[in-house]
Amino acid sequence: MSAPMTPNRLIREKSPYLLQHAYNPVDWYPWGEEAFEKAAKENKPVFLSIGYSTCHWCHVMERESFEDPEVAAVLNEHYVPVKVDREERPDIDHLYMAVCQAMTGQGGWPLTVLLTPDRKPFFAGTYFPKHRRHGRYGLMDLLPAFAEAWKQNPERLREVADEILAETKARALSSLDGSAGLENLSEDAFAAFLRLFDEEYGGFGGAPKFPTPHNLIFLLRFWHRTKESEALRMVERTLDAMYAGGLFDHIGFGFARYSTDRMWLVPHFEKMLYDNALLAYAYAEAYQATGHRRHREVAERVVEYVLRDMRDEGGGFYSAEDADSEGEEGKFYLWTPDEVRSVLGEEESRLFSEVYHITPEGNFEGRSIPNLIGTDWAATAARFGMPPAELTARLEDARRRLFEARRRRVPPLKDDKILTGWNGLMIAALAKASFAFDRSDCYEAAEAAARFVLDRLRRPDGRLLARYRDGEAAIPAFLDDYAFVLWGLVELYEAEGDGRWLVTAKELADDMIRLFRDERDGGFFFTGNDAERLPERLKETFDGATPSGNATAAWVLGRLGRLADRTDWSELAESLPDRFSGAIRRFPTGHAMWLTALEFMRADPVEIAVAGDPRLPETEALRDAVREVYLPHALRIWKAHEKFPFSSGTSPDRPTAFVCRRSACETQTTDANALRQALHSLQG
């Protein structure tokens, strides 16, 4: 079907998702007063469609319905159609997704909502085909029916909308239950994770299976405190299985959004910045905790992918890459034996295809997703008569050649908008990698991204904005943006000790508290007190694809409180889990970031400080000693020449390390081995 020559109103927008729909025959409006004023003036309901640019089923619904003149005619005549990019406007998405979940018990994208002209929802669902099939209502069933219902009795639909909002609010308020207490929450969560753990393939639950790296970040900390070996086993089994499967792009690196099956083989092929940031962080921490080189290698491959394919020339990071190319899901990533052979030749293709399971029958719609599930490296090397090191080298050469060949394919769409919060997560991951792996390039990339956010996504009055694209920064930032950027800035500070990042973090922390804190009932709202007023102002407490903004705020405020000697922040951080204890206790596996914050707050306060010129080898030796020991709750402080707080007000004349616990310094040494011993003793 050919697109109309005249674009709709979305052509003036910056969002790649909205621009994808700019030539639909549907007379789309962006979210804003124009649309709702038209709905009120003409007494029409609003058809709200929420999605994002790399959403496969959003593309399907567009092809089936929004490009269809018959559907467009109904929408244009009886409704005011509004398109929203959930990544630009997560506040709108959160509200109406909560409505959808309250009405149907489930959610997802595309999200389809019918609204009154005053933004109140009276119907919600997700994907709808054009016509009814497989028990799922079609748009051409629903749209005429609700149009007639609105024409006959709009007041009844307004009443329904009020009832739906009341139920949504009641569900949201149920999370604000501080009566459950916090005792043994981590232990209860560990037991729940153990029950959900997939012993065969790693991860938690069945298909579809999501990475959810913040679960692993919590379990690493729980293992560190309790020495519970099962916690570490679950982490490592999951990390290894995710990497082995098709969830990881073995040719170009980076992780896909989730796996459609238990064994991590068939991904939903879209790649999201936030997944790769959080996974890089988790793999880096696993390397710190275990010293196992394979975890470091995966983290470094994720970093390679992000720096190569997802980085703006100004230093910020793009949002996502699509699952589809040329209208087919996963087409860019799939291989046949003949395609491999045409690039590598007979002998090398036989080797690569055996290791990565490229077969004539394929494992996805007749073609193959490269994977390492069940591959025995030593046995394969022996079968081909070569040492394992030679096998690794030859496969890496083959991978590079296949990567170059793949570059000539039609690539998936890249969503090149730059989102503040997701960049905060990437800054945190890069700063973590820079310290864990002693990689200055990672630190430089994290710094550049931080400068991008602070220079281009911050108003002159200091207010963060949420989205940058095509030279424009817009939309007041949300709680998650502030919390994730603060996380990134704290990691940056702890990686190298540059005080600029701590100063900026303190400014943003004060702003976050002022803009988002609920002074009456506790916690933080998702939207600032200066944001557009929606029918309800919600608080997000559960972890989703990204950690809860409230939980991340609690964790980062606890860290900042100690780093900046701000007892008010520490006290606020410690009060937040209590406010949400009921929700956390009812569903502990959905609140892993809260549990991470609690683990930090309950740990003995430990500061590790190194004073000395960073250019001196003695200083670097002390830093290496700190780098080698996994102490997730310790705070790292680096000082160069200024007076040092743990040395009786004087600057040490030699590079010196201090290990302080419970506000008392137990170790002061210039010897790296002595420092190493002192740090190992803290591990228990």
Side-chain angles (χ1 to χ4, degrees), residues 507-547:
E507 294 170 357
L508 292 179
D510 275 329
D511 287 348
M512 180 179 73
I513 293 167
R514 174 179 56 82
L515 288 164
F516 299 95
R517 187 179 182 185
D518 183 349
E519 296 284 356
R520 188 186 71 180
D521 295 324
F524 294 101
F525 291 109
F526 185 75
T527 54
N529 53 33
D530 58 348
E532 175 187 355
R533 287 290 184 255
L534 298 174
E536 292 293 339
R537 192 181 183 198
L538 300 180
K539 297 172 189 170
E540 293 289 319
T541 61
F542 292 90
D543 295 328
T546 57

Side-chain angles (χ1 to χ4, degrees), residues 143-403:
L143 294 177
F146 276 109
E148 183 63 21
W150 181 267
K151 182 179 178 180
Q152 295 297 326
N153 194 354
E155 289 309 311
R156 176 53 189 150
L157 292 180
R158 292 179 188 274
E159 291 171 1
V160 169
D162 287 335
E163 292 166 4
I164 290 170
L165 280 175
E167 173 61 21
T168 303
K169 186 175 183 179
R171 287 166 62 98
L173 288 173
S174 69
S175 67
L176 297 175
D177 174 9
S179 63
L182 301 173
E183 296 77 17
N184 300 314
L185 265 178
S186 291
E187 287 72 16
D188 293 346
F190 164 71
F193 277 121
L194 197 58
R195 288 192 298 272
L196 290 169
F197 183 63
D198 185 335
E199 292 286 348
E200 187 173 4
Y201 296 113
F204 304 95
K209 192 176 280 184
F210 291 81
T212 323
H214 25 299
N215 293 346
L216 308 178
I217 291 168
F218 157 67
L219 286 169
L220 279 171
R221 285 157 171 74
F222 182 80
W223 164 78
H224 178 264
R225 176 172 64 84
T226 65
K227 304 300 181 287
E228 175 55 70
S229 61
E230 286 294 280
L232 182 60
R233 183 179 70 87
M234 287 191 288
V235 170
E236 291 207 275
R237 178 74 184 101
T238 300
L239 292 174
D240 291 341
M242 288 193 299
Y243 169 70
L247 187 76
F248 186 78
D249 176 4
H250 290 274
I251 303 298
F253 303 156
F255 282 93
R257 176 71 197 91
Y258 63 87
S259 175
T260 63
D261 60 281
R262 272 184 64 204
M263 59 195 299
W264 307 103
L265 172 61
V266 180
H268 187 47
F269 289 91
E270 63 184 326
K271 293 180 181 177
M272 311 300 295
L273 180 67
Y274 58 76
D275 284 317
N276 283 280
L278 291 164
L279 283 162
Y281 193 99
Y283 278 96
E285 281 222 327
Y287 170 72
Q288 288 181 301
T290 66
H292 295 159
R293 179 82 187 184
R294 65 186 188 274
H295 301 319
R296 171 173 177 169
E297 290 173 353
V298 178
E300 291 185 314
R301 288 173 182 179
V302 173
V303 167
E304 180 177 337
Y305 157 70
V306 170
L307 295 183
R308 182 192 68 225
D309 292 348
M310 301 296 285
R311 193 180 187 193
D312 176 82
E313 62 182 11
F317 293 101
Y318 303 136
S319 297
E321 291 188 302
D322 206 339
D324 298 9
S325 55
E326 300 182 84
E328 295 182 27
E329 184 179 10
K331 183 176 181 179
F332 183 75
Y333 299 101
L334 304 173
W335 295 86
T336 66
D338 286 345
E339 288 171 332
V340 175
R341 193 177 300 112
S342 70
V343 177
L344 300 180
E346 191 66 41
E347 184 177 353
E348 293 302 287
S349 68
R350 187 166 64 88
L351 178 63
F352 185 89
S353 294
E354 177 164 334
V355 171
Y356 286 94
H357 308 295
I358 313 298
T359 63
E361 62 274 13
N363 52 37
F364 182 77
E365 299 181 356
R367 302 177 76 195
S368 293
I369 304 164
N371 70 92
L372 293 169
I373 299 172
T375 295
D376 186 325
W377 217 257
T380 303
R383 192 158 53 254
F384 281 87
M386 65 183 74
E390 182 183 343
L391 175 65
T392 299
R394 286 175 62 175
L395 287 170
E396 175 57 17
D397 177 71
R399 183 202 66 81
R400 289 195 183 101
R401 291 161 64 189
L402 290 169
F403 175 74

Side-chain angles (χ1 to χ4, degrees), residues 85 87 317-319 415-419 467-469:
D85 182 343
E87 295 169 352
F317 293 101
Y318 303 136
S319 297
D415 188 324
D416 61 355
K417 67 177 179 293
I418 295 171
L419 296 173
R467 185 267 294 149
Y468 179 94
R469 186 175 185 271

